[in-house]
Amino acid sequence: MVRMATELVLLGTAGAPLPVPGRAGISSALVVDGRVFVIDCGRGTPSGFADAGLDFARLDGVFLSHLHADHTGDLAGLLLYPWGVRVRPDAPAPPVRVYGPGRPAQVPAGDAGFCRQTTIHPELPAPGTTDLVGHILAGYAYHLNVMPLDAAMPDPGQLVRATDIAVPARAPGQPQVPAVVLDDRGVLVRAVAVTHGHAVPAFAYRFDTADGSVVFSGDTTVHDDLIALAQGADILVHHVADLGYLERHGWGGAALDRMAGLHTDVTEVGGVAERAGVGELILSHYLPAEPGAVSEQDWATRAGLGFSGRTTAGRDGLRRTLPSAEGR
Ligand SMILES: [Zn+2]
């Protein structure tokens, strides 16, 4: 059998939960020898998956960087909409494997400036990935139990398996040893915890394949462990924020400081890529998300300062094949 290449597809490139016209929510796909891995599941992921011509029966794994809704909101749809085609010519498709953060060690506390009013679901106020998937199945039990009575459907018990990623232990002053999330038939996925405000844990992922390596930053401030994880990768898909734009559009004080504690600014991301020594920096998860707010050329020019590799402003549907035709 001829082995196929590895291909990266950006399914959506918008940051933050609010839907904007013209750009779908954050999600990327990596296709390795026909198996599809999805990284983050923001708004429109199932549609982006179909638009990209990907095969729902070959959806193998979903990797959640953290549990904010802009990264998880369409997980239910990605599991449930294509359920009926989760069959292969010879057998049912194996369950979709979903990986992401577990329950945090502590429920984050607020402060005077930013706090909760009502605590939702106080018996489990900070559910992890396996909880989320369990609740999706419970919430859609009607569909899963009743639809097979009217249409031939695969066994819903084989639809999904969720795994909480254990945060790597670290000694004080030492870098994290990445957690091995998946090591299966030529795909090695490793994760490190990064810094995204109160969203703890939040992960960055590195995929190594026979064709090359791709790193997904998730949402993070500039983080040495991400830079170590990304060392020498072919492609770094990195989120980007323009904090100056936000400041010019009414953000300030503590609210702007919070944003700086959540994100990597466009002026910093080139330095991240340079220190990591990656081949190409592809921008995604834009903040502001509106396509007209900042031009692609402006994003790429500013992000590429200080980076000697290739910088590309990502857009929905952008594809890259590994190994690249230019390199190697
Ligand atoms: Zn986000």
Side-chain angles (χ1 to χ4, degrees), residues 63 70 94 101 106 114 130 188 191 197 210 277 293 297:
F63 298 79
D70 55 323
Q106 286 148 5
F114 293 85
T130 56
L188 173 65
Q297 188 178 2

Side-chain angles (χ1 to χ4, degrees), residues 14-17 26 40 65-66 68-71 196 218-220 239 262-263 285 287:
I26 181 67
D40 282 327
S65 64
H66 62 288
H68 281 156
D70 55 323
H71 295 252
H196 186 45
D219 289 9
T220 183
H239 89 93
L262 288 161
H263 298 294
H285 188 289
L287 192 69

